[in-house]
Amino acid sequence: MSSATSAGKTLPGDPPGGRRAIAVWSIGVAVYFVAVIFRTSLGVAGLDAADRFHVNASALSTFSILQLLVYAGMQIPVGLLVDRLGTKKVLGIGVVLFTAGQLGFAFSPSYGMALASRALLGCGDAMTFISVLRLGTRWFPARRGPMVAQLAGLVGMAGNLVSTLVLARLLHGIGWTAAFAGSALAGVVVFVLLLLFLKDHPEGHEPEPLPHQGAAYVRRQIATSWREPGTRLGLWVHFTTQFPAMVFLLLWGMPFLVEAQGLSRATAGGLLTLVVLSNMTVGLVYGQIIARHHAARLPLALGTVAATALLWAATLAYPADHAPMWLLVVLCTVLGACGPASMIGFDFARPANPPERQGTASGITNMGGFVASMTTLFAVGVLLDATGDDYTVAFSSVFVLQAVGVSQILRLRKRAARRERERLVASRVETVHVPV
């Protein structure tokens, strides 16, 4: 990819950024932070959920699959809603839905009601990240885009850390209902902050109003975004990089470490925490690198995929009954790079689309990793039941999806680079003709 992009330049009409932008954006990120706590809460409660609802591995994976199915299915509708209604309204709806879902999960007396609660949670969760990305593009200059996006992802991983460290202890200290119902109070807090302080854009940077065109507008937004090679490349980068860590943290990491590797819950929880801490550290590094060197986007993404595949292969193929602790530590450290690498997908979609399509393009991109995660969650659950809990066979499904994703990335990379250069040249010509 060409490094000659607008990443380091202030473009005409760019928002100013500054302290006010940070304050408003932080409220949106706080909503996303809480959404991630709720989303990943099942990851530390998987074994407890299996006992509470008396379900096997396939049925347990259905919790996360349904949640991600709703999440992925909502991405394009949410992108369209954000483009039309703005961030504040969509985030407000999202908070109400995911808080209701977390409360419902706390009090669910049956497997069916718990499933419905996770679906509701997934619907609300789906409205958060795209809204936060849109908030960043409305409040910060374009050159800050990669770092702002990585910081949002980093805060989301901090939410995962809260699930791993805090919610897990509450779950085993005060019980299922009290832990999940108590955590739902965080949703109420961010909802109040959102209503009082969040604004869609700084004064003087209002977007042009979109005419109400019904289905024609929807079709045009989706079709025009999809025609951009950068949007499709962003989707496949997100697809290929995100899911190994998502599957590990969301559901199957704890059972794998406890049942297949013979670790205690406390030690396994420590390794899950390592994934999160690695994610937060790598996110800062990737954001800085991409902000300075746009050409590093694809090497970073593909390098992360290669490292993840190598470490999974070494862990699953280890000749002893259990992989050594040092190898599990390295695996979890490398898995931490998956989240930051998936954010690179948005750095391909963002310059490929004008501001009025950013929500739709981000929605398309964001579908990728969650479709891959959903597919792998299902595959692992089915293969575990079919093979008598053979985790080596079950986790080998990771390599299949990585191969599919890499083939699509390699197919699209040149077209996306050419189109991005064309848009850059066009924007420079327009800049030259802007009256002073």
Side-chain angles (χ1 to χ4, degrees):
M1 289 292 175
S2 171
S3 61
T5 70
S6 59
K9 302 179 184 299
T10 300
L11 301 177
D14 260 358
R19 292 182 180 178
R20 173 67 171 159
I22 294 173
V24 173
W25 177 77
S26 296
I27 296 170
V29 172
V31 174
Y32 176 56
F33 172 77
V34 174
V36 173
I37 294 175
F38 292 0
R39 177 201 304 169
T40 57
S41 58
L42 185 61
V44 297
L47 297 175
D48 300 88
D51 292 337
R52 180 180 178 88
F53 300 112
H54 310 291
V55 294
N56 60 14
S58 295
L60 181 60
S61 67
T62 303
F63 277 123
S64 295
I65 291 168
L66 178 61
Q67 183 178 331
L68 292 184
L69 178 63
V70 173
Y71 187 106
M74 286 290 293
Q75 289 309 292
I76 292 178
V78 168
L80 291 164
L81 284 173
V82 171
D83 285 337
R84 177 165 291 283
L85 300 180
T87 300
K88 184 169 185 173
K89 291 180 181 177
V90 177
L91 271 181
I93 297 169
V95 174
V96 171
L97 292 177
F98 69 60
T99 302
Q102 188 77 340
L103 273 174
F105 197 58
F107 294 101
S108 294
S110 65
Y111 176 68
M113 186 172 290
L115 275 179
S117 297
R118 296 306 286 186
L120 188 63
L121 192 157
C123 185
D125 182 17
M127 298 183 176
T128 58
F129 188 63
I130 293 176
S131 297
V132 171
L133 288 180
R134 170 63 172 254
L135 199 64
T137 62
R138 288 298 185 189
W139 280 91
F140 293 96
R143 70 181 187 278
R144 302 293 186 194
M147 178 54 69
V148 169
Q150 287 288 355
L151 285 173
L154 185 151
V155 174
M157 289 308 296
N160 203 322
L161 193 62
V162 170
S163 289
T164 305
L165 296 179
V166 179
L167 191 59
R169 292 186 179 182
L170 288 175
L171 188 66
H172 298 119
I174 62 178
W176 178 282
T177 301
F180 280 101
S183 67
L185 293 175
V188 177
V189 173
V190 294
F191 184 66
V192 173
L193 291 174
L194 182 152
L195 289 180
L196 293 178
F197 302 113
L198 192 136
K199 290 185 64 176
D200 284 341
H201 48 73
E203 293 182 8
H205 290 269
E206 295 82 358
E208 294 184 7
L210 293 171
H212 292 279
Q213 297 175 338
Y217 163 78
V218 172
R219 287 195 299 269
R220 186 174 64 253
Q221 285 285 95
I222 296 173
T224 309
S225 297
W226 182 255
R227 279 199 296 268
E228 290 290 347
T231 304
R232 302 199 301 277
L233 179 59
L235 179 147
W236 285 108
V237 167
H238 200 270
F239 177 100
T240 314
T241 53
Q242 187 202 47
F243 78 93
M246 177 68 74
V247 168
F248 198 79
L249 289 171
L250 200 60
L251 184 61
W252 291 121
M254 181 71 77
F256 169 75
L257 294 172
V258 172
E259 296 178 355
Q261 299 302 318
L263 302 180
S264 67
R265 283 198 180 199
T267 304
L271 288 175
L272 293 180
T273 303
L274 176 61
V275 177
V276 177
L277 293 175
S278 173
N279 183 297
M280 298 170 71
T281 303
V282 174
L284 289 174
V285 175
Y286 278 18
Q288 291 284 357
I289 292 174
I290 295 169
R292 290 173 169 78
H293 308 285
H294 238 42
R297 291 174 297 175
L298 205 57
L300 284 176
L302 292 176
T304 301
V305 173
T308 304
L310 177 64
L311 265 299
W312 260 124
T315 302
L316 296 177
Y318 198 79
D321 290 339
H322 300 140
M325 179 56 71
W326 68 263
L327 182 55
L328 295 176
V329 168
V330 176
L331 170 66
C332 290
T333 303
V334 170
L335 284 175
C338 291
S342 72
M343 300 299 296
I344 297 173
F346 299 102
D347 291 320
F348 287 110
R350 189 183 303 109
N353 293 274
E356 62 270 17
R357 286 206 313 266
Q358 288 294 323
T360 305
S362 296
I364 293 172
T365 301
N366 208 30
M367 283 180 62
F370 290 93
V371 169
S373 298
M374 179 177 58
T375 303
T376 310
L377 283 166
F378 177 75
V380 170
V382 169
L383 289 171
L384 284 175
D385 285 340
T387 60
D389 292 338
D390 188 331
Y391 280 89
T392 299
V393 174
F395 273 105
S396 294
S397 57
V398 168
F399 305 123
V400 176
L401 272 77
Q402 285 183 321
V404 171
V406 168
S407 68
Q408 294 300 312
I409 291 171
L410 296 178
R411 183 178 68 86
L412 289 164
R413 71 190 193 284
K414 290 183 179 179
R415 274 183 281 175
R418 183 170 60 251
R419 178 63 175 150
E420 191 169 297
R421 287 193 297 268
E422 291 171 356
R423 291 184 66 89
L424 177 62
V425 170
S427 68
R428 285 175 174 172
V429 171
E430 290 175 5
T431 302
V432 168
H433 290 88
V434 169
V436 179

